[in-house]
Amino acid sequence: MLSNEHNLLILNIKGESVLKSKLTRISVVVFLFLIFCMSPMQAKEPMISAKAAIVMDCDTGQILWGKSAFKRMYPASTTKILTAIIGLEMGQLNEIITVSKNAAAVGEASIYLKENHRLLLEDLVKGALIKSGNDAAYAIGEGIAGSESLFLAL
């Protein structure tokens, strides 16, 4: 047994140590005061530059946070991401894809593909995801399925 004016170590019946001290009691009182008497702190809202965003618990579907979460928005790059995923799942990174006239003609958000260019699927995926190239995504779809309409039917 250890004893001094600040701490007292006692062994209970089961042989476990029990520490009693003024400091421990004060700490417990302060802790309880902080828990029950102080108002809860609010987290700051995240600074998101996107027009809309949502954070959900995948297991429960509960929305944890949202910014214009239910506002109807165009899918934008989501389509390119899905096209790249399908390309990765159904193709081989070292597969060579020939750019069609239709893919080369995609004007908006382009990596400036030329008709009959031959590129690796890996490079087209990078062009679609890193450079946001719609022409690269179009070429992936045609390369994987044979045509835009067949890709849409997947």
Side-chain angles (χ1 to χ4, degrees):
M1 283 189 213
L2 173 68
S3 177
N4 64 31
E5 62 186 66
H6 297 291
N7 294 322
L8 178 62
L9 179 63
I10 304 170
L11 294 179
N12 66 14
I13 296 173
K14 294 180 182 177
E16 300 168 337
S17 65
V18 178
L19 182 64
K20 291 184 176 183
S21 74
K22 290 179 186 176
L23 182 59
T24 302
R25 285 187 218 130
I26 291 171
S27 298
V28 169
V29 170
V30 169
F31 178 75
L32 292 173
F33 173 79
L34 291 174
I35 288 176
F36 295 110
C37 297
M38 299 295 287
S39 63
M41 294 180 65
Q42 296 289 327
K44 289 184 180 179
E45 186 163 323
M47 295 179 64
I48 305 290
S49 63
K51 292 178 184 174
I54 190 167
V55 177
M56 292 179 76
D57 182 319
C58 293
D59 293 328
T60 65
Q62 179 185 6
I63 297 173
L64 304 174
W65 178 85
K67 176 182 176 184
S68 301
F70 298 102
K71 183 178 179 184
R72 188 174 292 260
M73 305 289 290
Y74 290 107
S77 294
T78 306
T79 304
K80 283 179 262 199
I81 294 167
L82 184 56
T83 299
I85 290 170
I86 292 170
L88 292 170
E89 288 179 348
M90 298 185 73
Q92 301 294 319
L93 287 177
N94 61 353
E95 179 179 345
I96 295 175
I97 295 177
T98 302
V99 177
S100 72
K101 181 178 181 179
N102 290 338
V106 175
E108 67 281 341
S110 175
I111 61 168
Y112 310 105
L113 294 177
K114 303 291 183 209
E115 183 180 359
N116 295 320
H117 259 156
R118 294 168 43 89
L119 293 108
L120 293 175
L121 173 60
E122 177 180 13
D123 294 329
L124 289 170
V125 168
K126 289 176 184 177
L129 297 179
I130 298 170
K131 296 293 187 178
S132 197
N134 289 344
D135 52 352
Y138 197 100
I140 291 168
E142 286 188 329
I144 294 298
S147 71
E148 176 188 18
S149 60
L150 290 174
F151 183 75
L152 294 174
L154 293 177

